[in-house]
Amino acid sequence: MVREQEIRTKQHNLLFCKMVLLEDNHLVLELKSGKRTECIPLETFVHEVNRFTNGQFPQLHMTVK
C-alpha cells in the first residue's frame, strides 16, 4: 500500500469507504461491512455505476493524464 484516504459522509461523519493507492499504481476502494473487508478496483466501480444508471445519468469515464 502506498497511500490511503477515508471518504466520509458530510452530515454524519460515517465512513463510506477508503481509497487505497497500491504500489503497482492501481486504485481500489476498500469497503467494510461488519468484520468483512472487500476491495473493488476503481475500473470495476466505474463499470458498475455505468451499468446501474443504464444511460439515465452521464457515464463515468477513466482517462490517463
Side-chain angles (χ1 to χ4, degrees):
M1 181 178 357
V2 174
R3 225 171 52 183
E4 63 182 48
Q5 178 182 332
E6 293 180 348
I7 301 172
R8 295 182 172 270
T9 60
K10 291 181 181 180
Q11 292 182 328
H12 304 291
N13 200 29
L14 298 173
L15 178 64
F16 174 66
C17 68
K18 186 187 297 182
M19 292 185 300
V20 181
L21 181 61
L22 303 174
E23 292 175 359
D24 61 0
N25 287 328
H26 282 91
L27 181 66
V28 296
L29 300 174
E30 184 179 282
L31 310 166
K32 293 188 178 187
S33 176
K35 294 182 179 181
R36 189 178 73 199
T37 300
E38 293 187 36
C39 291
I40 181 172
L42 180 60
E43 295 86 356
T44 303
F45 176 77
V46 168
H47 172 76
E48 288 300 316
V49 167
N50 288 337
R51 184 184 62 78
F52 178 76
T53 59
N54 195 27
Q56 302 297 313
F57 190 80
Q59 286 200 335
L60 299 177
H61 296 280
M62 296 188 56
T63 61
V64 179
K65 277 189 159 182

